[in-house]
Amino acid sequence: DIQMTQSPPSLSASLGDKVTITCQASQNINKYIAWYQQKPGKAPRLLIRYTSTLESGTPSRFSGSGSGRDYSFSISNVESEDIASYYCLQYDNLPWTFGGGTKLELK
Amino acid sequence: EVQLVESGGGLVQPGRSLKLSCAASGFTFSNYYMAWVRQAPKKGLEWVATISTSGSRTYYPDSVKGRFTISRDNAKSSLYLQMNSLKSEDTATYYCARQVGVVPNWYFDFWGPGTMVTVSS
């Protein structure tokens, strides 16, 4: 199974900050990584697929990059509505596996 | 508008069975792979099962293989998860999710609000 090591587990930011979350796969995942946002008590929402393709409705302040084993997800100009947990998903190989999550809080 | 609504969760004793359902609307259900993903309390996400459009192919991780069975009824736009021999570690919120992509690279694009399953004596 491909392990997805996501860091940091938690992140504290001020409004307007830029934050970055990383996911490292245990093997090359050929850019097949997606990023999800989850607010408390809600279902995950797909933000980005295939490393950097924004889903319809995803604000442009969200971005993704990476290749091989190493990937990152950024939010520029953090807004209050971005306070949530974020998860990466590798979908290169079965079983599909998620990172452990990053909880973004306001400083 | 895509909608997925799960039902059937609840409290169940270890070793017993439970069947979850997911009602889909707002898209042509029979055209999509579908999946179940779970999240234990205060924990991360874990993929549980996937089924092909016709139901002829199913996929499971080792953690549930042989105990869980995913099925679908395209005429009713409904997805199911039969869970047998339940263990305390199966306690989680179970999400129904639509899968999209190009074989074999599918990701989950829409999720239901989830249904909670608690396995406890």
Side-chain angles (χ1 to χ4, degrees):
Chain A
D1 297 5
I2 297 175
Q3 309 302 317
M4 299 297 288
T5 303
Q6 184 171 343
S7 61
S10 63
L11 196 49
S12 183
S14 300
L15 297 179
D17 280 356
K18 178 177 180 178
V19 299
T20 297
I21 298 167
T22 63
C23 268
Q24 183 175 67
S26 56
Q27 65 187 66
N28 180 10
I29 56 170
N30 300 300
K31 295 194 169 186
Y32 288 108
I33 187 168
W35 293 92
Y36 295 85
Q37 176 191 68
Q38 186 179 33
K39 296 185 177 180
K42 300 293 187 181
R45 170 195 170 195
L46 175 65
L47 298 177
I48 290 174
R49 60 180 167 87
Y50 198 58
T51 296
S52 58
T53 301
L54 269 59
E55 284 297 289
S56 173
T58 300
S60 59
R61 63 181 181 276
F62 293 93
S63 64
S65 65
S67 62
R69 295 176 56 207
D70 297 306
Y71 298 85
S72 63
F73 167 85
S74 295
I75 311 172
S76 60
N77 299 315
V78 167
E79 298 188 5
S80 56
E81 65 184 33
D82 301 334
I83 301 309
S85 292
Y86 293 86
Y87 294 89
C88 64
L89 163 74
Q90 71 78 19
Y91 57 104
D92 184 57
N93 265 309
L94 279 162
W96 301 294
T97 48
F98 294 87
T102 296
K103 186 174 184 179
L104 176 61
E105 298 174 316
L106 269 181
K107 193 178 291 182
Chain B
E1 179 193 4
V2 173
Q3 285 202 327
L4 299 167
V5 180
E6 304 90 342
S7 61
L11 175 64
V12 60
Q13 293 179 329
R16 304 298 290 265
S17 299
L18 197 66
K19 187 173 185 177
L20 306 182
S21 300
C22 171
S25 61
F27 65 102
T28 305
F29 180 74
S30 58
N31 286 351
Y32 289 86
Y33 277 57
M34 296 295 296
W36 291 94
V37 179
R38 69 184 179 184
Q39 185 171 34
K42 307 290 187 185
K43 299 293 185 182
L45 298 161
E46 179 187 20
W47 165 69
V48 169
T50 287
I51 190 166
S52 63
T53 52
S54 66
S56 60
R57 290 187 297 275
T58 56
Y59 308 85
Y60 307 92
D62 288 344
S63 58
V64 306
K65 195 176 294 183
R67 298 190 300 123
F68 288 12
T69 302
I70 189 172
S71 61
R72 66 192 296 162
D73 184 336
N74 286 340
K76 294 182 178 179
S77 296
S78 292
L79 179 72
Y80 306 99
L81 184 67
Q82 176 69 46
M83 304 184 293
N84 298 332
S85 304
L86 282 162
K87 307 175 183 180
S88 58
E89 51 263 43
D90 296 319
T91 294
T93 296
Y94 284 73
Y95 297 102
C96 167
R98 191 176 76 170
Q99 276 191 277
V100 293
V102 178
V103 175
N105 308 111
W106 301 297
Y107 56 95
F108 313 101
D109 70 339
F110 281 100
W111 304 56
T115 187
M116 182 68 197
V117 173
T118 302
V119 183
S120 175
S121 54

